[in-house]
Structure formats: structure tokens, C-alpha cells
Amino acid sequence: MKKKIGIPKCLLYYQYYPLWKVFFEELGAEVILSDNTTKKIMDDGVKLCVDEACLPIKLFYGHVLNIKDKVDYLFIPRLTSVSKNEYICPKFGGLPDMIKHTVKDLPKIIDTEINLRKSKKKAFTTALEIGQFFVSDKTKIKKAFKEAITSYGEYRKKVKQGVIPTDILDKKLSVVKKNDENMLNIAVIGHSYNLYDKYTNMNMIEKLKNNGINVITVDMVDGKIIDEKVKQLNKQMFWYFGRKAIGSAYHFMETGEIDGIIYLMAFGCGVDSFICDFIERKIRKNSEIPFIVLNIDEHTGEAGMDTRLEAFTDMIRWRYRDENNLSAHG
Ligand code: SF4
């Protein structure tokens, strides 16, 4: 019988699922995902997790509870770094321990450290370590890793072409592209798990698309462009998420094709609290692009979110249609 491996549908699921799925399936495992986020998943996570944690970490607890009794293994890697010379948020590193010490009756946890800070080549040795939970044949693990990298490359290619990640992950390949002059291009900055979890962001991307907006997210910006843009900083940004947000923001600001920028931040996020402020100052000082910060937490109401989204997009349209002297910043 196939071993079942559970992957919580949150945090870096939105970034790496096509890689993880192919890797585990090539090794003969069955991949089981937790359900899409619901009120119950969120409430369960909020009850169990410490109050001080950010919303995405609280949600992770809810997804673990949702899936833990259906699988033989839970995949909760200890994520230290996913790119050279950079760190991911420390909460990712502590996550396996937080879960093990809080959630009862867990299946076996695969908590191998993923740390590519010194070299991307470490990815292969990490894959060998993880693969040995399923097979001992290193050639088979090597092949699975290769297939997984190919799958990830195809996924990234589609996202860079402008497809929203969840349209690929949910196999709905509907792509909205700017096809008439009235369509606005709105860029959205934020962590993938905030941008694409439809429950927590109250379906923000779909609402924008239905309002005639072409949505461009940070994940659609090529890594090479981000590398180039962050060279403008006086110091190296060593937070992975921060570098991605700042590099994309500079790109959106300079491309001349963006009509407005939304920064979606999770309440309690240490990285966002200063990166968002930094980006906002830059945009206000160097451009006329309308900019808004939307904050989400477990108490955010949908009506409030809808009102702010509508006001923001209406303001941009009025500006184009009627006058040139409306404030760029709401
Ligand atoms: S980067 Fe921010 S939102 Fe993400 S886990 Fe860390 S604190 Fe939470």
C-alpha cells in the first residue's frame, strides 16, 4: 500500500506544490492535501496557536489539524533559506517544533532542514535525505528530484507569463490579460500564501479580475529583474520575502504599465511591517502611482475589504476619466 504524505495547503504550498507533488509521487507516495481554508480551519488554528503569531502561521495549525489523521507522514520542512545568501522568516524554521509541541496525536513529521543559503546545490542533498523516508535507492531519488525540478520550472514559466498560481494549482486555466484600453493593470505585492488563499484575502484577486482588472502579482516578476532592481538598495536585503517585494515594487514603479499598487499584508508579520513602509515611502516619493495597504487578520470583515478595493479602483478610473488633480494616494 502507498504511504500517504500530507501537505498543508498553506504557506509555501503556493510556491512549491508542483515540485513537492511530483517528487513524492515519483517515489511512490500518495500526496494528500488539506482542504481549502474555511472558517473552521481558521478558528481551529487561532485557538491552538500562540496569540502573537501572524495569521499565516495560525492558519498552518488549522491545516495540520485538518489533515493529520488522514496521513502516514506530514511534510513540515524546517525552512531556513530557499535562496543564496538569504533567509526566510524565522517562523518557518521553528514551525516543526511549534507543531510537535502543541498538536497531539501527530503522524510522523518529515522536518528535514532546507537551507540553500550557501548554495543551491544543497537542494539535491536535502532531496536525498527526504527521499529516504520512502525509498533507499538513490538513483530513484535522483530521478524523482529531476522530474520535480522540471515540473517546478514549467509552473514558474506559466506564472511568469501572467497566470495566477491558483489557476494552475486548481487546474482552471483561465487567464485574464489586458485586452482593452479600459482594463487597469493593478500590481499586488505580498506573500504568496496571503495573495492566493481565497478565504483569508476574501477572494481579492477574483474580485479585482471581475472588476475588469488585470492582476499582476510579485510571483509574475522574473527573478533576474528582481536581482537587477534590488541593486539600487544601499545594503543587501537578506530577507527572501523582503527582497522579492522590494525588487518587484521597483519594477512595477519603473515599468510605466502599472495603474495602481496594492500591498496585502498579514497582521503580525515582522517582515511586512518594515518592508511595506519602505516601499510605500519609495512609491510616494518617486511616482504618481496610487498605492494602498490592505491588512488581513482573523477579524478582517469582507465588507470592509470590498469597500477599500472598490474605492481604490474607482479612484484610479475617475482620475483617468475626469481629472488629473486627484491625489495619487487616496
Ligand atoms: S514572513 Fe511574515 S507572514 Fe510569513 S510567516 Fe513570517 S511573520 Fe508570518
Side-chain angles (χ1 to χ4, degrees):
M1 215 167 82
K2 285 186 174 183
K3 287 179 185 166
K4 290 183 182 164
I5 175 147
I7 298 184
K9 213 170 179 182
C10 49
L11 294 184
L12 295 191
Y13 154 83
Y14 297 98
Q15 239 167 285
Y16 293 116
Y17 181 62
L19 184 145
W20 295 340
K21 178 179 160 60
V22 170
F23 181 67
F24 290 123
E25 285 184 352
E26 285 288 318
L27 297 178
E30 184 184 353
V31 176
I32 310 279
L33 281 174
S34 56
D35 297 330
N36 288 335
T37 305
T38 57
K39 181 166 182 343
K40 178 169 171 21
I41 288 180
M42 186 189 275
D43 289 349
D44 288 348
V46 169
K47 268 187 226 150
L48 202 57
C49 186
V50 287
D51 288 344
E52 294 75 21
C54 58
L55 178 66
I57 294 292
K58 289 177 181 169
L59 273 179
F60 191 85
Y61 275 71
H63 280 271
V64 166
L65 291 176
N66 176 264
I67 198 177
K68 73 178 180 70
D69 298 327
K70 304 171 191 163
V71 297
D72 305 305
Y73 295 93
L74 259 181
F75 186 52
I76 312 181
R78 191 177 301 281
L79 277 149
T80 303
S81 168
V82 291
S83 46
K84 202 164 173 217
N85 294 329
E86 285 174 357
Y87 289 99
I88 210 159
C89 164
K91 286 181 183 150
F92 280 84
L95 202 49
D97 295 324
M98 287 168 76
I99 294 290
K100 277 190 230 168
H101 291 97
T102 328
V103 183
K104 290 191 182 125
D105 303 322
L106 285 165
K108 194 164 176 49
I109 307 267
I110 299 180
D111 62 353
T112 310
E113 186 186 21
I114 298 179
N115 186 352
L116 313 186
R117 191 179 66 85
K118 291 211 171 129
S119 166
K120 280 193 173 176
K121 287 186 188 143
K122 189 86 198 321
F124 176 59
T125 45
T126 309
L128 275 183
E129 225 178 294
I130 298 172
Q132 281 171 23
F133 280 88
F134 301 92
V135 295
S136 50
D137 180 352
K138 288 191 178 164
T139 317
K140 201 163 178 192
I141 302 175
K142 193 174 175 185
K143 181 174 171 289
F145 180 68
K146 217 173 143 201
E147 298 286 335
I149 293 290
T150 307
S151 156
Y152 178 67
E154 284 163 7
Y155 173 65
R156 283 295 304 143
K157 195 171 160 197
K158 282 184 198 151
V159 174
K160 281 193 271 180
Q161 284 166 351
V163 186
I164 300 290
T166 36
D167 285 349
I168 306 168
L169 299 171
D170 300 344
K171 301 202 170 25
K172 278 199 296 169
L173 286 167
S174 62
V175 189
V176 178
K177 281 267 142 204
K178 189 163 183 169
N179 54 10
D180 75 52
E181 286 182 356
N182 296 322
M183 224 168 167
L184 295 177
N185 277 327
I186 301 278
V188 190
I189 301 173
H191 305 286
S192 56
Y193 37 90
N194 294 330
L195 301 188
Y196 310 123
D197 185 321
K198 296 176 186 173
Y199 184 83
T200 45
N201 66 33
M202 286 148 271
N203 219 358
M204 183 187 78
I205 291 185
E206 213 56 36
K207 282 175 182 162
L208 288 169
K209 280 161 67 175
N210 292 341
N211 193 5
I213 286 161
N214 182 41
V215 179
I216 301 113
T217 70
V218 283
D219 299 291
M220 295 172 189
V221 182
D222 194 286
K224 288 189 186 125
I225 296 178
I226 293 177
D227 290 344
E228 203 44 50
K229 298 293 173 191
V230 292
K231 285 184 186 158
Q232 297 177 38
L233 295 171
N234 295 332
K235 271 176 82 174
Q236 190 202 338
M237 164 62 61
F238 53 85
W239 293 114
Y240 164 76
F241 290 124
R243 197 179 65 92
K244 193 168 160 184
I246 291 177
S248 307
Y250 281 14
H251 170 67
F252 294 142
M253 211 164 60
E254 291 164 12
T255 164
E257 292 174 357
I258 299 296
D259 302 302
I261 299 178
I262 297 174
Y263 195 118
L264 184 72
M265 70 185 273
F267 185 74
C269 173
V271 178
D272 276 351
S273 63
F274 64 90
I275 295 292
C276 177
D277 186 62
F278 179 86
I279 290 176
E280 184 169 3
R281 285 166 194 248
K282 268 282 181 224
I283 290 174
R284 296 203 192 289
K285 188 168 169 214
N286 300 310
S287 79
E288 289 278 292
I289 303 175
F291 178 84
I292 190 173
V293 181
L294 298 176
N295 228 305
I296 45 171
D297 70 9
E298 57 269 37
H299 308 296
T300 307
E302 187 159 3
M305 176 68 115
D306 290 355
T307 308
R308 298 199 71 200
L309 277 180
E310 275 169 33
F312 184 64
T313 50
D314 285 352
M315 182 269 295
I316 297 172
R317 288 202 166 100
W318 291 339
R319 230 175 144 215
Y320 281 129
R321 197 186 57 209
D322 300 328
E323 7 188 347
N324 288 323
N325 60 351
L326 288 182
S327 160
H329 309 305

